[in-house]
Amino acid sequence: MNYWLVIGVSFFYLALLFGLASWAERRSAAGRSFVGNPYIYALSMAVYCTAWTYYGSVGRAATTGLGYLAIYIGPTLMAPLWWVVLRKIIRICKVQRITTIADFISSRYGKNITLGSIVTIICVLGIIPYISIQLKAIASSLDLLTGMNEVGRSPLFGDTSFYIALGLGLFTIVYGTRHVEATERHEGMVTAIAFESLFKLVIFIVAGVFVTYGVFNGFGDIMQQATQLPDFERLMTFDNESGFSQWFWMVVLSMLAILFLPRQFQVAVVENVNEQHLNKAMWLFPLYLFAINIFVLPIAFGGDLLFNGANVDADMFVLAIPLSEGQSLLALLVYLGGFSAATSMVIVATIAMSVMISNNLVMPLLVGVPAIKNRYQNQLTKLLLFSRRLGILVILLLAYLYYKGVAEYYSLVEVGLVSFAAVAQFAPAIIGGIFWKEGTKNGALAGIVVGAAVWFYTLVVPSMVGVGMLPSSILEQGPLGIALLKPFELFGLQGMDYISHAMFWSMFLNVGLYIGISILSKQTSQERNQAEVFVDIFKYSTVFESSIVWKGTAYIPDIKSLLVNFLGEKKAEVAMKAYKRKYPEPEDESGKADPKLVTYAEKLLSGVIGSSSARIMVSSVVKEEEISIDEVLNILKESQQLISINNELRRKSMELRRATEQLRSANERLKQLDELKDEFLSTVTHELRTPLTSIRALSEILYDNPEMEREDQEHFLQTIVKESERLTRLITQVLDLERFESGKQKLNLGPVQIEEVVRESVEALEQLVQEKDIDLVVDVQHNLPAINGDKDRLIQVLVNLISNAIKFCNPEHGRIIVSGYYIDGDIKVNVVDNGKGIDPEFHKQIFDKFYQAQNQNIRKPEGSGLGLAISKKIIESHQGRIWVESELGKGSKFSFVLPVKVNVPANV
Amino acid sequence: MSTREKLKVLVVDDEPSILMPLEFLMRKSGYQVFVARNGTEAMESVDKERPDVVLLDIMMPDVDGYEVCRHIRGQEDMSGAKVIFMSAKTKDADIKKGYDVGADLYIPKPFSTRFLMEKIKELTQS
């Protein structure tokens, strides 16, 4: 393929990333940020999958078999633990404004400069090989695609990969170092990385599908043919000798790498906008790893089968297969996919590294030397940016040189694992640091330094031997002929592969020294303070400023000018306002700064220049006094008590609010009850007025007209008697109801036979039934169990129901059925009529007192409107239930049930 | 009055026990009496008989007394008719509403028939 076309496409792709990133930043400025999306976060974490995955997995699968999977199993196992480990780290970094892994370690162990610098140096040493393999992957794929041999070209200016490194450097500078404050997120970069993750996954799967289904006839076909390969059995089984330990250490290594690789720390911690996004990433990221690995074996075996014996680098099978099949467009896309996998790693890693270099190496140097500090006092910000930009270019240049000098001779995975092993050295200090308060600076320092030294000796030195930089006698006989010091068989340990061997010794010494020396050495008060805050971050995160213990004198103007120097006028102003909002206490008149303000300023500075430099800067304007560990612990205890007092207060005020709420609703209910009572009274008097009006009118007429005809007189007198009875009934019922409602009504309990209740009720109404010529059917089961109840009251209920039925049944062919039977532990009684029925809308309300009176539209002839309300009270006081089933035009069925084993208190 | 036709009185109440004595009383006083047991009947009777006096209950099924009164006042030739509410509703607001819809008098129940007859005479003579 044409060389310049491929170069052009590569730079076009980079330009596309530029465009995407700046579009994302504009969107974010307009308030419609992409990174608020958990999917973008999860995808950006897939920066874990670099050219190593894209090209190297296939190469490893083709040469050493299943082992390639270990570095994906590790992160998959780690993902569920993110909620415990990563969330804590994220919270600590947010609260303390920590932006790099070096700063994290330095900050935990008393903001120690030495520790931060050492971690930075190890990171640089460890990550440069990793970056170099990305350059190597780009260069090899370019060679393969264009058919040219770059390796032979003169280094630097005659070499395309040099220009690619330069281009990546520029891109990184533009999008990684726009703001000084490293805690400010790189939204454009994250969006671009998420896009690259998606892109490389899709292309890799497309390539996999092409190989599996285009070149071969599916998975089955490839595997079938692969069994014929001489190596097949070895590739698909564990190596008995060192296979298990290798798997174990690879899994451990990758579990640590997913947390502590600088680029993972950058995307997962620094760029995290919402802790809740972890929830999504915890399943989406393992899914991504799964998806990108589906086609590794088919491509690896496909390559083995197609190029059997030919001189094709197994790392490049993904690209070589489409090329050999003449699919140049697919090949170009595959190349771009690999390019994107490599660039995303390079971009994120260099940004993270440059911040580390500037904040943990350059800055402490600058601010630590008074002469330099005073000279550049006002240009520190510029210096900072400059050092970051320079850092990016230097890292890429070093990576390029490493690629030319060393990486060219090793496979992608071999070089990558060296980097993994380097960052694994931070694990004891970090994991110990967030869960174990006793871990000390000396412990961490010893562990990291010795661990890193072992790493260097067992992994880096042999690779230098391999390219001829050191004599091979070191490997074979040991340095100076001391066999115990052979880099691959340290202290005589044999039978492990070199990675397991290196990991075993480095981790053994690292963990041992960290724990041992931590127990033996003492923490300074500053260390103790940070240890408390780190381990108990979820307690302190809301009161961070007051949980940093500090004693001394500082003046507000000094603090302010410090902030202005590093943040600029505007941001310093905003920051001071934010502080006042959080702590609205009045300023000290003498202009002395509150310790909280000092801590706050230090935290802000940490975000810009790293915690140890910030410490130095703050110390320079503050007259500090020694503080003992006991004091630290006492003050922290107080601040913890403050937290619990605050919680208590919050709880109390919640309770108070709830009580107020209850009071108000009780008041509301009382008011409602009052209104109900008023309504009841006015309804009762209204119901009294009607018969009274009639009685008075009739009596007056009788009195004024003695000459009235006898027939009229009799009629009048009859009506007077009837209306008087109505009055009496009403009064009785009102009193009845009142007694039930106030709980004064007593039930006269005894064994009651429902059959008797029905019989007596029907007898009481017999005359009325005959008068109206109604067909009344009684159907009660014999020998029903007796219930414990008040017989007279139950008769009252039934009489009420039957007389209602009499009133409302069909006026011509009236028919009423009264039935009683035993069902499910209850005795059920039904009164069914064939009247005009009741609209279901009113089925509940008719049991309310005076319901019919208030709703004139369904007013029934006669009746006080209290009968059903009283019946309901009586049934309920027997722990029973009463209801109606009816439809308009289909008659009504009133039913009640009474439990047989009723347990009614004697006085209800 | 005696020179003219008999005075027409419409008595409206849903309680037969009230309707009965009032009907008797009106007839005995020499008026021509019509009765209605609900609002609808009352309005039909108004339209048909054009009564001079209407004794009107308020709380009735279907159409209430206020509505019947509005119906009466809505007709030009009925503007001279006297409307007397007789109601068990005795709250000030109810009474005010009665006058608002155009009643000449509002008598709370229970009332004296003698007082009622006097008032009818007063209203019809003026």
Side-chain angles (χ1 to χ4, degrees):
Chain A
M1 202 173 292
N2 183 293
Y3 176 76
W4 290 109
L5 172 74
V6 179
I7 295 295
V9 168
S10 305
F11 278 92
F12 175 74
Y13 176 81
L14 276 187
L16 200 75
L17 279 191
F18 264 91
L20 182 67
S22 63
W23 179 56
E25 299 230 315
R26 279 201 304 278
R27 248 182 91 107
S28 151
R32 288 173 300 147
S33 173
F34 279 118
V35 299
N37 183 329
Y39 292 98
I40 295 283
Y41 177 69
L43 275 177
S44 74
M45 281 178 131
V47 71
Y48 181 73
C49 299
T50 63
W52 168 347
T53 301
Y54 196 88
Y55 293 120
S57 278
V58 171
R60 188 138 177 112
T63 53
T64 64
L66 287 175
Y68 77 94
L69 270 178
I71 67 145
Y72 305 101
I73 292 171
T76 304
L77 290 175
M78 195 68 206
L81 288 175
W82 281 349
W83 194 247
V84 181
V85 180
L86 197 53
R87 190 169 65 106
K88 193 164 187 180
I89 295 178
I90 289 174
R91 181 67 70 87
I92 292 169
C93 288
K94 273 189 191 156
V95 170
Q96 301 239 29
R97 298 230 175 187
I98 291 169
T99 53
T100 64
I101 208 154
D103 210 17
F104 189 89
I105 296 174
S106 140
S107 183
R108 161 63 178 81
Y109 298 100
K111 310 194 176 174
N112 184 273
I113 298 176
T114 322
L115 202 48
S117 319
I118 287 177
V119 171
T120 304
I121 292 168
I122 295 171
C123 267
V124 173
L125 290 180
I127 299 308
I128 279 175
Y130 206 157
I131 296 177
S132 78
I133 61 173
Q134 310 303 321
L135 297 177
K136 175 183 170 171
I138 295 175
S140 320
S141 58
L142 197 61
D143 287 349
L144 190 63
L145 196 61
T146 58
M148 295 171 89
N149 190 359
E150 285 288 316
V151 180
R153 291 188 168 222
S154 60
L156 292 180
F157 301 105
D159 183 3
T160 317
S161 48
F162 175 72
Y163 291 106
I164 286 177
L166 213 59
L168 288 177
L170 290 177
F171 178 87
T172 313
I173 286 172
V174 172
Y175 277 100
T177 61
R178 288 176 128 192
H179 315 284
V180 201
E181 208 180 339
T183 44
E184 275 186 25
R185 300 189 174 81
H186 309 88
E187 298 206 357
M189 181 199 79
V190 171
T191 311
I193 296 309
F195 166 78
E196 294 208 281
S197 293
L198 206 58
F199 185 73
K200 70 197 175 200
L201 176 65
V202 170
I203 300 293
F204 191 80
I205 287 178
V206 168
V209 170
F210 169 74
V211 172
T212 312
Y213 294 98
V215 182
F216 291 87
N217 284 323
F219 285 99
D221 182 34
I222 290 189
M223 290 317 220
Q224 188 73 40
Q225 294 193 36
T227 53
Q228 309 304 317
L229 287 169
D231 268 356
F232 185 75
E233 200 160 326
R234 179 182 66 79
L235 295 179
M236 297 302 279
T237 47
F238 286 126
D239 173 5
N240 281 337
E241 278 273 315
S242 62
F244 296 114
S245 78
Q246 186 178 359
W247 268 78
F248 171 76
W249 283 109
M250 292 285 243
V251 167
V252 170
L253 207 50
S254 53
M255 283 175 88
L256 301 177
I258 193 66
L259 287 175
F260 304 133
L261 277 172
R263 68 173 191 283
Q264 294 305 134
F265 193 85
Q266 183 75 30
V267 292
V269 178
V270 182
E271 306 289 348
N272 175 285
V273 291
N274 184 345
E275 283 172 20
Q276 297 301 321
H277 287 180
L278 271 180
N279 283 336
K280 199 132 278 168
M282 273 159 62
W283 62 266
L284 207 59
F285 178 68
L287 186 66
Y288 186 100
L289 294 184
F290 176 72
I292 207 164
N293 275 300
I294 292 176
F295 287 104
V296 168
L297 276 184
I299 296 174
F301 286 134
D304 273 342
L305 291 166
L306 290 174
F307 308 118
N308 201 6
N311 185 23
V312 176
D313 182 2
D315 276 353
M316 285 293 142
F317 277 173
V318 192
L319 187 58
I321 297 176
L323 265 184
S324 74
E325 297 291 318
Q327 299 285 337
S328 37
L329 181 66
L330 180 61
L332 186 63
L333 281 175
V334 169
Y335 160 77
L336 273 185
F339 188 66
S340 83
T343 52
S344 57
M345 183 275 165
V346 173
I347 291 164
V348 183
T350 46
I351 286 179
M353 301 299 298
S354 74
V355 174
M356 229 183 272
I357 291 173
S358 83
N359 282 10
N360 294 91
L361 278 181
V362 180
M363 256 353 236
L365 217 64
L366 288 182
V367 300
V369 180
I372 302 181
K373 196 191 90 187
N374 293 339
R375 185 150 172 216
Y376 296 103
Q377 183 82 50
N378 298 321
Q379 290 153 319
L380 282 174
T381 318
K382 272 187 200 155
L383 219 56
L384 198 64
L385 271 183
F386 178 73
S387 71
R388 277 187 203 161
R389 287 172 183 159
L390 195 66
I392 288 172
L393 289 180
V394 168
I395 291 168
L396 280 168
L397 190 66
L398 285 175
Y400 173 77
L401 293 176
Y402 188 89
Y403 151 56
K404 281 290 164 192
V406 180
E408 206 141 63
Y409 307 97
Y410 291 94
S411 80
L412 298 177
V413 173
E414 281 168 322
V415 181
L417 282 174
V418 173
S419 295
F420 271 27
V423 297
Q425 303 309 322
F426 306 143
I430 293 178
I431 293 179
I434 61 174
F435 291 110
W436 188 45
K437 288 179 189 172
E438 317 304 321
T440 70
K441 178 197 79 189
N442 292 336
L445 202 56
I448 288 175
V449 168
V450 173
V454 173
W455 163 78
F456 189 84
Y457 187 67
T458 54
L459 289 178
V460 181
V461 167
S463 73
M464 290 160 87
V465 173
V467 296
M469 289 160 80
L470 289 170
S472 61
S473 63
I474 294 182
L475 289 186
E476 285 143 22
Q477 284 115 37
L480 310 171
I482 305 170
L484 276 183
L485 293 182
K486 282 197 273 186
F488 284 154
E489 291 171 18
L490 205 57
F491 308 123
L493 182 69
Q494 293 179 8
M496 287 173 116
D497 70 294
Y498 71 104
I499 286 285
S500 309
H501 171 265
M503 276 304 284
F504 171 78
W505 278 119
S506 63
M507 289 316 273
F508 174 72
L509 293 171
N510 189 335
V511 173
L513 286 169
Y514 173 66
I515 295 174
I517 295 188
S518 287
I519 291 171
L520 293 176
S521 64
K522 271 209 160 96
Q523 287 175 323
T524 64
S525 54
Q526 168 95 339
E527 268 181 83
R528 183 65 200 179
N529 197 166
Q530 287 293 83
E532 286 281 337
V533 174
F534 269 58
V535 173
D536 289 331
I537 187 67
F538 292 107
K539 267 193 232 158
Y540 288 118
S541 51
T542 50
V543 290
F544 176 68
E545 275 82 14
S546 48
S547 60
I548 293 300
V549 178
W550 181 92
K551 217 164 102 184
T553 325
Y555 292 92
I556 295 173
D558 293 341
I559 300 286
K560 270 187 191 158
S561 73
L562 201 58
L563 286 180
V564 171
N565 269 344
F566 285 95
L567 300 177
E569 287 279 353
K570 221 169 103 192
K571 280 195 175 168
E573 187 80 10
V574 172
M576 287 304 288
K577 275 192 186 139
Y579 174 81
K580 286 246 173 65
R581 261 201 308 281
K582 195 170 175 192
Y583 301 102
E585 302 120 51
E587 279 177 19
D588 192 297
E589 290 201 359
S590 58
K592 276 188 193 153
D594 190 85
K596 287 197 288 273
L597 176 63
V598 179
T599 308
Y600 179 76
E602 189 177 328
K603 179 176 91 172
L604 285 181
L605 289 184
S606 295
V608 184
I609 57 175
S611 55
S612 38
S613 313
R615 189 85 275 276
I616 298 170
M617 289 311 295
V618 168
S619 310
S620 71
V621 298
V622 160
K623 226 177 106 216
E624 271 183 78
E625 290 162 32
E626 271 299 314
I627 188 163
S628 74
I629 290 202
D630 286 344
E631 271 179 283
V632 169
L633 290 180
N634 274 336
I635 299 174
L636 278 178
K637 215 197 265 164
E638 273 169 29
S639 119
Q640 284 217 15
Q641 274 163 0
L642 195 71
I643 298 168
S644 65
I645 287 171
N646 274 343
N647 286 342
E648 182 73 4
L649 269 177
R650 201 166 26 234
R651 211 170 53 75
K652 279 266 151 60
S653 97
M654 285 272 280
E655 266 171 25
L656 202 65
R657 207 173 325 150
R658 234 192 330 267
T660 316
E661 192 52 47
Q662 277 168 355
L663 209 61
R664 193 168 42 223
S665 75
N667 203 14
E668 201 64 34
R669 257 173 52 80
L670 272 179
K671 237 195 274 176
Q672 268 174 14
L673 279 178
D674 207 37
E675 275 164 25
L676 278 178
K677 198 106 189 159
D678 273 359
E679 207 176 288
F680 180 69
L681 266 179
S682 95
T683 318
V684 168
T685 49
H686 176 261
E687 290 299 304
L688 290 171
R689 281 170 202 278
T690 304
L692 273 177
T693 307
S694 169
I695 291 169
R696 181 166 184 185
L698 291 163
S699 319
E700 279 177 355
I701 295 169
L702 282 172
Y703 187 83
D704 292 345
N705 301 283
E707 75 289 0
M708 267 176 81
E709 285 186 26
R710 180 150 183 84
E711 199 183 325
D712 281 339
Q713 273 183 5
E714 273 177 12
H715 188 199
F716 274 33
L717 286 167
Q718 260 174 19
T719 311
I720 289 174
V721 172
K722 235 171 71 191
E723 292 298 298
S724 306
E725 281 169 2
R726 185 172 160 189
L727 270 179
T728 314
R729 203 163 52 235
L730 186 67
I731 290 165
T732 316
Q733 287 189 330
V734 167
L735 291 177
D736 248 16
L737 191 67
E738 201 277 331
R739 273 202 301 275
F740 270 110
E741 288 196 333
S742 64
K744 281 180 219 145
Q745 180 61 46
K746 289 173 184 167
L747 289 184
N748 192 7
L749 291 177
V752 179
Q753 295 290 343
I754 281 298
E755 207 177 349
E756 264 177 57
V757 172
V758 174
R759 202 186 58 234
E760 286 184 33
S761 307
V762 170
E763 272 169 14
L765 294 164
E766 207 153 32
Q767 210 190 333
L768 205 56
V769 171
Q770 278 172 4
E771 272 172 24
K772 292 208 166 186
D773 197 18
I774 289 168
D775 181 10
L776 175 70
V777 179
V778 176
D779 175 21
V780 180
Q781 244 174 39
H782 295 297
N783 304 322
L784 281 173
I787 61 155
N788 186 26
D790 185 328
K791 187 176 169 191
D792 291 341
R793 287 295 174 189
L794 292 175
I795 290 173
Q796 187 184 346
V797 172
L798 207 54
V799 165
N800 177 252
L801 292 183
I802 298 173
S803 50
N804 278 348
I806 292 170
K807 274 182 235 161
F808 295 111
C809 69
N810 189 303
E812 262 111 67
H813 312 287
R815 185 179 164 84
I816 298 170
I817 304 165
V818 181
S819 54
Y821 45 89
Y822 178 85
I823 179 169
D824 294 339
D826 293 332
I827 289 188
K828 185 173 179 188
V829 177
N830 304 309
V831 178
V832 181
D833 68 54
N834 61 346
K836 60 180 177 184
I838 304 166
D839 191 328
E841 196 186 323
F842 303 116
H843 283 184
K844 280 228 160 58
Q845 300 165 347
I846 56 171
F847 291 99
D848 292 348
K849 53 196 172 190
F850 291 127
Y851 180 71
Q852 51 154 315
Q854 288 158 24
N855 285 268
Q856 298 285 320
N857 289 352
I858 58 156
R859 185 164 188 167
K860 304 163 192 169
E862 301 171 53
S864 63
L866 291 174
L868 284 175
I870 293 172
S871 298
K872 189 174 177 216
K873 291 279 175 203
I874 293 172
I875 294 299
E876 281 174 355
S877 67
H878 282 82
Q879 298 181 3
R881 213 155 51 79
I882 185 167
W883 71 96
V884 63
E885 294 161 37
S886 173
E887 264 177 69
L888 278 179
K890 295 199 176 159
S892 310
K893 176 181 172 190
F894 281 83
S895 311
F896 62 83
V897 289
L898 295 167
V900 171
K901 285 193 180 144
V902 68
N903 187 18
V904 187
N907 296 330
V908 170
Chain B
M1 205 182 118
S2 53
T3 55
R4 292 200 314 205
E5 271 183 54
K6 277 186 178 174
L7 198 67
K8 288 184 185 171
V9 179
L10 170 61
V11 186
V12 187
D13 204 309
D14 62 328
E15 287 282 345
S17 63
I18 292 177
L19 218 45
M20 195 248 297
L22 291 183
E23 188 187 357
F24 179 90
L25 209 54
M26 296 306 135
R27 189 163 290 131
K28 196 174 159 291
S29 304
Y31 304 145
Q32 192 181 349
V33 195
F34 307 96
V35 294
R37 284 181 176 74
N38 55 49
T40 319
E41 268 183 41
M43 290 195 291
E44 280 168 13
S45 190
V46 165
D47 293 347
K48 197 171 143 211
E49 313 294 348
R50 324 307 286 173
D52 303 296
V53 177
V54 182
L55 302 181
L56 197 49
D57 185 23
I58 292 177
M59 286 163 74
M60 290 180 292
D62 66 2
V63 184
D64 73 9
Y66 295 125
E67 207 46 55
V68 176
C69 186
R70 282 198 197 94
H71 178 77
I72 295 168
R73 292 303 180 218
Q75 303 178 33
E76 248 177 67
D77 63 325
M78 291 295 288
S79 60
K82 306 298 175 193
V83 176
I84 301 174
F85 277 125
M86 335 166 281
S87 175
K89 289 164 86 97
T90 53
K91 282 190 211 137
D92 290 347
D94 299 324
I95 296 171
K96 183 175 181 302
K97 188 176 174 190
Y99 286 113
D100 284 348
V101 296
D104 295 284
L105 191 63
Y106 191 111
I107 307 177
K109 284 177 181 175
F111 50 81
S112 152
T113 46
R114 295 161 195 159
F115 174 78
L116 175 66
M117 296 317 292
E118 263 172 45
K119 286 295 170 188
I120 292 175
K121 280 197 189 99
E122 269 175 36
L123 284 170
T124 49
Q125 273 159 14
S126 58

